[in-house]
Amino acid sequence: MNPTTPDTLVEHLRGALGPTAVLTGPEDTDGYTADWRGAYRGAALAVVRPGSTDEVATVVRLCRKAGVSIVPQGGNTGMCGGGVPDASATQVVLSTTRMRRVREVDPANDAITVDAGVTLDAVHEAARAHGRMFPLTLGSQGSCTIGGNVATNAGGAGVLRYGMMRDLVLGLEVVLPDGQVWDGLRGLRKDNTGYDLKQLFVGAEGTLGIVTAAVLRLFPETPARATVWVALPDLGAGVALLELLKKHAGPRLGAYELVSRTALDLVLEHTVGAHDPFGQSHPWYGLIELEDADDAARLEEVVEAGVGAAFEQELVTDAVVAGSPAQRAALWGLREGISEAQNAVGASLKQDVSVPISSLAAFTADVDAAVEAVLPGVRRVTYGHVGDGNLHYNLSKPDGADDAGLLDASDALTKAVYDVVAAYDGSLSAEHGLGRTKTAAAAAYKDPVELALMRTVKAALDPAGTMNPGVLLA
Amino acid sequence: MNPTTPDTLVEHLRGALGPTAVLTGPEDTDGYTADWRGAYRGAALAVVRPGSTDEVATVVRLCRKAGVSIVPQGGNTGMCGGGVPDASATQVVLSTTRMRRVREVDPANDAITVDAGVTLDAVHEAARAHGRMFPLTLGSQGSCTIGGNVATNAGGAGVLRYGMMRDLVLGLEVVLPDGQVWDGLRGLRKDNTGYDLKQLFVGAEGTLGIVTAAVLRLFPETPARATVWVALPDLGAGVALLELLKKHAGPRLGAYELVSRTALDLVLEHTVGAHDPFGQSHPWYGLIELEDADDAARLEEVVEAGVGAAFEQELVTDAVVAGSPAQRAALWGLREGISEAQNAVGASLKQDVSVPISSLAAFTADVDAAVEAVLPGVRRVTYGHVGDGNLHYNLSKPDGADDAGLLDASDALTKAVYDVVAAYDGSLSAEHGLGRTKTAAAAAYKDPVELALMRTVKAALDPAGTMNPGVLLA
């Protein structure tokens, strides 16, 4: 057999995995070489679809021999282009979507073990079948995969109570850059026998190895809900209300989202059936949800006590409690409709930043001023998972302006936002990762010592630099 | 000035830090060169007590120049000798105990920033002064330090609800092996801008750098408590009861400890004032504690409903609810008195292992048989944080036998325990770390791929190998 080189690699991959697992030609690879939003369109030498961990290891070894780099891809739902190849047509995309086995559910250990290509929805379903719950929820959960959720340390609305994906992973199986398989699929809550290696791979965006399976934490189901929509005089009141609710409800506080009036206006204008719960306009709104195993009536008492105290302190100016599942869905619809409504009004620039919760109001005032100075009239469609200090600080073009103005100013606007984020010791990517979009910006703002440490880790684990190059580190 | 060598190092350290910060001679260093239990007695070239992060960096740079290795030490309360030097008298012990500043409390961000040498008690106190709570609790909290808690990824009784130290750290400041300072003191819940570097240093036992400060998560206080002591027919019932309580109480379940009859017998015999809450003997006991912001009466309803359901399923055979703080303290005393009571009956061999919670009963039956085969009549003083799958599987010498029998058999007994732990995919150090005690054993049982990965990380971050050599990795 010929030596494995870039020229013979496809042939060798076909020999090892079978012809149907190796795709070439734009008609077969187009779905894998561009991201779902169409923001990144690359080209691949091949797209491989291994069906097992051993096959992933085979692909990694063959690519390494050939000196060809690998772009791991899950459901291709990432927000920053970290799962699509560059335009060189020299990279191999490794799609995990054929690896869809739920390997084990262990209810008494509150754990589930799944292949990397299992969708988040499928994990929810498998957990539910055993009277358990997996708390990560994302808009893309029908197609995003656990491997991608691990690689990007996915967040979402449940982080306040359950943490990010990092907090939900008990063990991993990873194919390392040299093709060895690390079997770290342990279902232990406590293990202090050395470096916690799984932490290296969570959030590494495929740059240190390919996650092929994971053991995830499960939790008791919490079907009881109390959902409240409140009006707030300002963002600072929203932060104070959060503090008050944490004290009253403790870990039953499952979600705490804030929505600016600008964001709500877009939803009311562009979402069929959306209506304002209140008769008059308010600067900010909060969506509060308490959850528990049972006794929704008790939850309502708790949240009403908390909101009542907030009324007395003038932190809340109006409030409505969801009286039915339909009303609950309508309130969540106001929050979840923002992204789509924003798309309906033309060009937008979406940011996913975090700062210490205590700085949120001051940060927002400063960044509002900074973007106004760059593009007067720019609309600040601010909302987010404020319980975690995470704002989706999105911008839409000024009312009546054309898209070009915003697009031309986008670099300056992004810099204005990031400068203020840096001044508040915040993060320019709270939950979306770096991918291809934000790698250069992160490098520009990071402490050189930290950046050097990241490079040291990368060079140690992937000395050939073939694992998703250009993503996370330039 | 002379070049920095092992011979001139002490002089250079005195020049840089001042004479009182550098201790030599057994009369001054004895408290730092032996562990608190007297299990390890080493010797040091010097003990340095820097007062600031910059001084730590200076010490690291000087030691590196001299090619002298450093043993970081906090409160010297570790269980595995990871903070004491070897016997060569060539190492420098770096004690953080002069670094005791609470740098900042940010209640609205639920965060506190402290120097590494601040004690755990001092963190509790600073949090309480702002109406907050830091959930890590340990028997040694009056003297153990946050730096040591981070370096060993400390556990304790609150892990079930709040996680281990790893889960409580938002940010770190670390002096790296080359003397550079990494400032990762961010107070963010969400930050996906690269590798989560702090994870490298948590649980690394000082082998990758010296933690000089940390940002820790705070929580609302939960003064309301409901505490119940139950009798169980067997360990399997204890696991089933845990499942049932998690469903009923969710995150309000703050502690779930199991105690074997053998362990309770020792406490009843050797602890002044201890008495059996029940009139007759039972094979196992559970200590359950629910906690919340308020409404202890409601907590009692919840726990009584859970325990009531357990009675019906014959998982529980007797139960007593603490009716006062004094009764609560008495019940906790039965659990917390075990370690001391065990010391009162002569030689013992203490293990700190974990397995998946679902395997606890089968694991315990197997390991009971394995140790009985090694030393007939050996007493199994089993108890632990069963909500995390963590057993303190301790052994005491057979009744009436002398200490020598147990001590002679200790290697064989330990091997018997670890073999069964390995068969159940468990951990031979759930919360105590490896230190000098367990490093060789961990290497013997670990997957070679995992061990090689650990060595890769160590070599990359500490290429000179001067950070706590011999600990965690041989």
Side-chain angles (χ1 to χ4, degrees):
Chain A
M1 194 162 169
N2 299 325
T4 306
T5 67
D7 289 339
T8 63
L9 178 61
V10 170
E11 172 200 340
H12 289 192
L13 288 168
R14 289 210 166 105
L17 270 65
T20 61
V22 183
L23 313 177
T24 55
E27 66 285 7
D28 289 332
T29 63
D30 263 4
Y32 302 89
T33 54
D35 82 324
W36 64 279
R37 291 190 297 189
Y40 292 90
R41 176 159 297 284
L45 179 64
V47 174
V48 295
R49 303 185 64 227
S52 68
T53 301
D54 283 347
E55 287 191 358
V56 173
T58 299
V59 173
V60 171
R61 281 193 294 265
L62 287 171
C63 287
R64 191 169 177 97
K65 273 191 198 169
V68 165
S69 63
I70 299 179
V71 179
Q73 186 182 93
N76 194 8
T77 61
M79 303 296 282
C80 296
V84 291
D86 63 25
S88 67
T90 62
Q91 301 187 298
V92 164
V93 174
L94 188 154
S95 167
T96 59
T97 47
R98 276 182 61 216
M99 299 172 66
R100 308 189 154 266
R101 199 158 48 98
V102 174
R103 297 193 191 177
E104 188 194 7
V105 182
D106 183 350
N109 195 37
D110 276 329
I112 184 171
T113 306
V114 298
D115 282 352
V118 171
T119 64
L120 181 50
D121 259 354
V123 170
H124 289 166
E125 200 179 312
R128 204 159 38 232
H130 290 81
R132 295 294 187 280
M133 182 268 293
F134 183 64
L136 187 76
T137 55
L138 298 171
S140 58
Q141 64 197 34
S143 42
C144 71
T145 64
I146 292 302
N149 298 153
V150 171
T152 59
N153 186 26
V159 174
L160 178 63
R161 173 161 174 173
Y162 295 101
M164 299 183 75
M165 192 63 174
R166 183 179 302 283
D167 304 299
L168 304 174
V169 172
L170 290 174
L172 289 181
E173 179 187 81
V174 178
V175 175
L176 301 174
D178 63 3
Q180 289 197 86
V181 179
W182 172 51
D183 177 1
L185 285 179
R186 287 185 287 270
L188 303 176
R189 261 74 186 166
K190 282 181 168 175
D191 178 18
N192 269 345
T193 58
Y195 307 137
D196 191 358
L197 297 170
K198 65 178 178 288
Q199 304 292 345
L200 281 169
F201 304 100
V202 180
E205 304 190 31
T207 61
L208 301 177
I210 300 171
V211 173
T212 50
V215 187
L216 306 174
R217 296 177 67 187
L218 299 179
F219 293 84
E221 291 182 296
T222 53
R225 288 284 190 284
T227 309
V228 185
W229 181 263
V230 297
L232 303 162
D234 53 46
L235 182 51
V239 171
L241 174 61
L242 170 65
E243 198 173 337
L244 206 153
L245 289 169
K246 282 200 277 194
K247 192 172 151 63
H248 272 78
R252 276 162 294 191
L253 183 60
Y256 187 77
E257 305 278 314
L258 293 191
V259 174
S260 65
R261 179 68 204 185
T262 308
L264 181 64
D265 274 338
L266 290 183
V267 174
L268 296 176
E269 199 175 329
H270 297 280
T271 308
V272 175
H275 75 278
D276 190 339
F278 304 129
Q280 66 185 88
S281 175
H282 302 270
W284 281 89
Y285 301 89
L287 177 58
I288 304 160
E289 191 157 276
L290 268 55
E291 50 180 68
D292 207 348
D294 51 24
D295 205 349
R298 170 69 187 159
L299 286 185
E300 278 190 24
E301 286 171 30
V302 171
V303 74
E304 281 168 7
V307 171
F311 262 112
E312 283 172 25
Q313 295 174 40
E314 299 182 356
L315 300 173
V316 164
T317 49
D318 207 346
V320 55
V321 180
S324 69
Q327 281 178 27
R328 173 179 177 255
L331 294 179
W332 271 102
L334 296 176
R335 162 65 183 82
E336 288 168 348
I338 298 171
S339 187
E340 212 171 295
Q342 196 183 0
N343 294 341
V345 294
S348 66
L349 187 65
K350 300 187 176 181
Q351 304 290 356
D352 163 45
V353 302
S354 69
V355 292
I357 298 168
S358 46
S359 304
L360 270 170
F363 163 78
T364 304
D366 284 2
V367 77
D368 281 354
V371 297
E372 175 69 19
V374 173
L375 185 65
V378 65
R379 276 186 285 181
R380 298 168 295 253
V381 187
T382 315
Y383 64 100
H385 316 300
V386 169
D388 319 304
N390 183 190
L391 278 185
H392 292 303
Y393 190 87
N394 292 356
L395 300 170
S396 280
K397 68 181 173 66
D399 211 2
D402 58 14
D403 285 0
L406 185 87
L407 296 174
D408 289 348
S410 66
D411 285 353
L413 288 167
T414 297
K415 183 177 183 310
V417 174
Y418 290 176
D419 282 350
V420 183
V421 167
Y424 281 89
D425 285 331
S427 170
L428 58 81
S429 188
E431 58 177 17
H432 292 168
L434 297 181
R436 298 190 178 280
T437 321
K438 297 184 183 173
T439 290
Y445 284 94
K446 261 192 199 294
D447 168 18
V449 175
E450 181 160 328
L451 203 58
L453 257 180
M454 283 174 53
R455 288 190 196 288
T456 298
V457 170
K458 169 75 175 176
L461 269 77
D462 179 26
T466 51
M467 299 305 306
N468 217 5
V471 166
L472 202 128
L473 281 167
Chain B
M1 194 161 167
N2 300 324
T4 306
T5 66
D7 290 338
T8 62
L9 179 61
V10 169
E11 172 199 339
H12 289 193
L13 288 168
R14 288 211 167 105
L17 270 65
T20 61
V22 183
L23 313 177
T24 54
E27 66 284 7
D28 288 333
T29 63
D30 263 5
Y32 302 89
T33 54
D35 82 325
W36 63 280
R37 290 190 298 188
Y40 291 90
R41 177 159 297 283
L45 179 64
V47 174
V48 294
R49 303 184 63 227
S52 67
T53 300
D54 283 347
E55 287 191 357
V56 173
T58 299
V59 173
V60 170
R61 281 193 294 265
L62 287 171
C63 288
R64 192 170 176 97
K65 273 191 200 169
V68 165
S69 63
I70 297 178
V71 179
Q73 187 182 92
N76 194 9
T77 60
M79 304 296 282
C80 296
V84 290
D86 63 25
S88 67
T90 62
Q91 301 187 299
V92 164
V93 174
L94 188 154
S95 167
T96 59
T97 48
R98 277 182 61 217
M99 299 172 66
R100 308 188 153 266
R101 199 158 49 99
V102 174
R103 296 192 190 177
E104 187 193 8
V105 183
D106 183 350
N109 194 37
D110 276 331
I112 184 171
T113 307
V114 298
D115 282 353
V118 171
T119 64
L120 181 50
D121 259 355
V123 170
H124 289 165
E125 200 179 312
R128 203 158 40 231
H130 289 82
R132 295 295 188 279
M133 183 270 292
F134 183 64
L136 187 76
T137 57
L138 298 171
S140 59
Q141 64 197 33
S143 42
C144 71
T145 63
I146 292 302
N149 298 152
V150 171
T152 59
N153 187 26
V159 175
L160 178 63
R161 173 162 174 174
Y162 295 101
M164 298 182 75
M165 193 63 175
R166 184 180 300 284
D167 304 299
L168 303 174
V169 172
L170 291 174
L172 290 180
E173 178 187 83
V174 179
V175 175
L176 301 174
D178 62 2
Q180 289 197 86
V181 179
W182 171 52
D183 177 0
L185 286 178
R186 287 185 287 269
L188 303 176
R189 261 73 187 167
K190 282 180 167 175
D191 178 18
N192 269 345
T193 58
Y195 307 137
D196 190 358
L197 297 170
K198 65 178 178 287
Q199 304 291 345
L200 282 169
F201 303 100
V202 181
E205 304 191 30
T207 61
L208 300 178
I210 300 171
V211 173
T212 49
V215 187
L216 306 174
R217 296 176 68 185
L218 300 178
F219 293 85
E221 292 182 296
T222 53
R225 288 285 189 285
T227 309
V228 185
W229 181 263
V230 297
L232 303 162
D234 54 45
L235 183 52
V239 172
L241 174 60
L242 170 65
E243 197 173 339
L244 205 153
L245 288 169
K246 283 200 279 194
K247 192 172 152 64
H248 272 79
R252 276 162 295 191
L253 183 60
Y256 187 78
E257 305 278 314
L258 292 192
V259 174
S260 64
R261 179 68 204 186
T262 308
L264 182 64
D265 275 338
L266 290 183
V267 173
L268 296 176
E269 199 172 330
H270 297 281
T271 308
V272 176
H275 74 276
D276 190 340
F278 303 131
Q280 66 186 88
S281 174
H282 301 269
W284 282 89
Y285 302 89
L287 177 58
I288 304 160
E289 191 157 276
L290 267 56
E291 50 180 68
D292 207 348
D294 51 24
D295 206 350
R298 170 69 187 160
L299 285 185
E300 277 190 25
E301 286 171 31
V302 171
V303 74
E304 280 167 8
V307 171
F311 262 112
E312 283 172 24
Q313 296 174 39
E314 300 182 355
L315 300 173
V316 164
T317 48
D318 208 345
V320 54
V321 180
S324 69
Q327 282 178 26
R328 174 179 175 255
L331 294 179
W332 271 102
L334 297 176
R335 162 66 183 82
E336 288 168 348
I338 298 171
S339 187
E340 213 172 294
Q342 198 184 359
N343 293 342
V345 294
S348 66
L349 186 66
K350 299 186 174 179
Q351 304 290 356
D352 164 44
V353 303
S354 69
V355 293
I357 298 168
S358 47
S359 303
L360 270 169
F363 163 79
T364 304
D366 284 2
V367 78
D368 281 354
V371 297
E372 175 69 19
V374 172
L375 184 65
V378 66
R379 276 185 285 181
R380 298 167 294 254
V381 188
T382 315
Y383 63 101
H385 316 300
V386 169
D388 319 304
N390 182 188
L391 279 186
H392 292 303
Y393 189 87
N394 292 356
L395 300 170
S396 280
K397 68 181 173 65
D399 211 2
D402 57 16
D403 286 0
L406 185 86
L407 296 173
D408 289 347
S410 67
D411 285 355
L413 288 167
T414 297
K415 182 178 183 311
V417 174
Y418 289 177
D419 282 351
V420 184
V421 167
Y424 281 90
D425 286 331
S427 170
L428 58 81
S429 188
E431 59 177 17
H432 292 169
L434 298 180
R436 298 191 179 279
T437 322
K438 297 184 184 172
T439 290
Y445 284 93
K446 262 191 198 297
D447 169 19
V449 175
E450 181 159 328
L451 203 57
L453 256 180
M454 284 174 53
R455 288 190 197 287
T456 299
V457 170
K458 169 74 174 175
L461 269 77
D462 180 26
T466 51
M467 299 305 307
N468 217 5
V471 166
L472 201 128
L473 281 167

